[in-house]
Each structure stands twice: as C-alpha cells, then as structure tokens.
Amino acid sequence: MEWNSIWLSLFGTTDYLGFNMGFWVSLVVVALVVVIMNVVFWNMKPYSETQSKEN
C-alpha cells in the first residue's frame, strides 16, 4: 500500500514542520506504548509479603 500517496492526496504534503510523516507516526506509536505501559503499571496491586508466604 502506498502510504505516501494516500497521505499526499489527503493533506497535500508528506511532511509537517520539516519532518517526514514516518517521524510523526513513530512518535505517536511510541507515545501510545508509553501511555499503555503507565496505565498497566499504575493499576497493578502492590506486592506484599503475605501473598508470597501463602503460596
């Protein structure tokens, strides 16, 4: 699939602020991974010693 041609037909350019669209797509992907990792981390229950002794 030609992502450049699709992007070009939608927005009329393949760059924004001097950066290629690949930069912006990768930036968004990394930001989403960071947000998901933080949500998972902050929703984990803390480890306690009583849980490990019961097993």
Side-chain angles (χ1 to χ4, degrees), residues 29-41:
V29 168
V30 169
L32 286 174
V33 169
V34 168
V35 168
I36 290 169
M37 288 176 67
N38 277 296
V39 167
V40 169
F41 175 76

Side-chain angles (χ1 to χ4, degrees), residues 2 5-7 9-12 15 18-19 23-24 26-27 30-34 40 42 44-46 48-49 52-53:
E2 284 279 335
S5 63
I6 294 171
W7 193 270
S9 65
L10 288 174
F11 302 109
D15 61 354
F19 293 106
F23 169 79
W24 296 111
S26 62
L27 190 72
V30 169
L32 286 174
V33 169
V34 168
V40 169
W42 287 107
M44 289 174 56
K45 292 184 179 180
S48 69
E49 291 293 325
S52 65
K53 291 180 181 177

